[in-house]
Amino acid sequence: MNCWPGQLDVLIQSLSRFSEKLAVLGAHAQGNSIVTHSTRIGPALIFHRLWQSCSIDKVLSSLLADRRFGFSVERAIFLTVLHRLFAPGSDRAAEKWKDDYTIEGVSGLDLHHLYRAMAWLGEALPKDQQDGATPFVPRTNKDLIEEALFARKRDLFSDLDIVFFDTTSIYFEGEGGETIGARDIRKIIVPT
C-alpha cells in the first residue's frame, strides 16, 4: 500500500471519531484539551449523617440564633472538624482541602470565615456564666456546645462514668499531680 505524506494522518483523524482515546489525544494535540474536575463525596456524606444524628447542627444553630454572622458558622465548624478527621491540619489547609470534596454549604467559605468560626468557639462567656470554670481557663462557647450535646443524649439513667480529655497541653513535672497525674501514663519527668 502506497501512501502519500499526510494521507495516513487524514485516515487516522477520520477513524478517531470512533475512538474516545484518540479523540482526547487529538484534542490535546490541537490545544483543545478537555478539562475535567472530580470531587470526593464519601467523607462528607457519612460525617454529615453522624453530625445530624448527634444533633450538633441543632445545638450550634440554637447557640448562634442571636448572632448575626454573614456566613454559616455551623458549616464552617463542620468543615474544620471534617478536615481534622480526614486530613489533620490547619484552618488554612482545610480551606484548600475543601476544593477536592463535595461538601454541602461550604463552597462560599473563605479562610477568614474559618478563623471567625474558631474564634467564636473560643469566645469567653460572660461573667455570670463562668460557674465551674477552672482558674486557668474561662468557660467558652465550646463548653456550652459540649454541655448541650450531653444534655440532649441524657436520660433518666444516664450517668457519667468516664471522661476523655485532650492531654496534649497538660504535663506534670517531677512525680506528677496528687489526683489527675496519679494515673497519667504520659507523665513527663523533667530533670532539675
Side-chain angles (χ1 to χ4, degrees), residues 36-184:
T36 62
H37 180 73
S38 64
T39 58
R40 299 176 181 119
I41 61 171
L45 284 176
I46 294 168
F47 188 63
H48 185 70
R49 297 287 290 273
L50 291 170
W51 189 262
Q52 287 181 321
S53 71
C54 292
S55 301
I56 298 171
D57 56 340
K58 291 181 179 86
V59 167
L60 287 172
S61 295
S62 68
L63 291 173
L64 290 162
D66 295 336
R67 300 295 294 260
R68 300 287 183 242
F69 286 97
F71 65 99
S72 174
V73 175
E74 183 268 337
R75 291 283 82 196
I77 294 171
F78 177 84
L79 171 61
T80 57
V81 172
L82 180 67
H83 174 252
R84 283 175 175 87
L85 283 172
F86 286 91
S90 65
D91 292 337
R92 181 182 301 268
E95 195 255 339
K96 292 183 184 339
W97 177 83
K98 75 175 169 55
D99 295 337
D100 293 334
Y101 291 82
T102 300
I103 306 168
E104 183 181 333
V106 302
S107 61
L109 294 177
D110 293 322
L111 182 58
H112 68 95
H113 295 127
L114 304 182
Y115 285 158
R116 287 182 61 202
M118 295 302 107
W120 176 79
L121 285 174
E123 188 177 279
L125 298 173
K127 289 186 187 227
D128 63 334
Q129 294 181 13
Q130 289 297 328
D131 289 343
T134 68
F136 311 109
V137 180
R139 286 175 37 83
T140 63
N141 286 320
K142 174 198 68 80
D143 297 308
L144 293 180
I145 295 166
E146 292 170 354
E147 292 161 4
L149 290 172
F150 178 75
R152 280 182 169 268
K153 296 297 181 182
R154 188 176 189 176
D155 61 20
L156 182 61
F157 303 106
S158 291
D159 192 20
L160 190 59
D161 294 324
I162 188 168
V163 176
F164 294 99
F165 60 96
D166 182 7
T167 61
T168 55
S169 60
I170 296 176
Y171 70 96
F172 302 98
E173 293 183 16
E175 296 298 314
E178 295 287 321
T179 58
I180 195 170
R183 294 188 179 92
D184 190 340

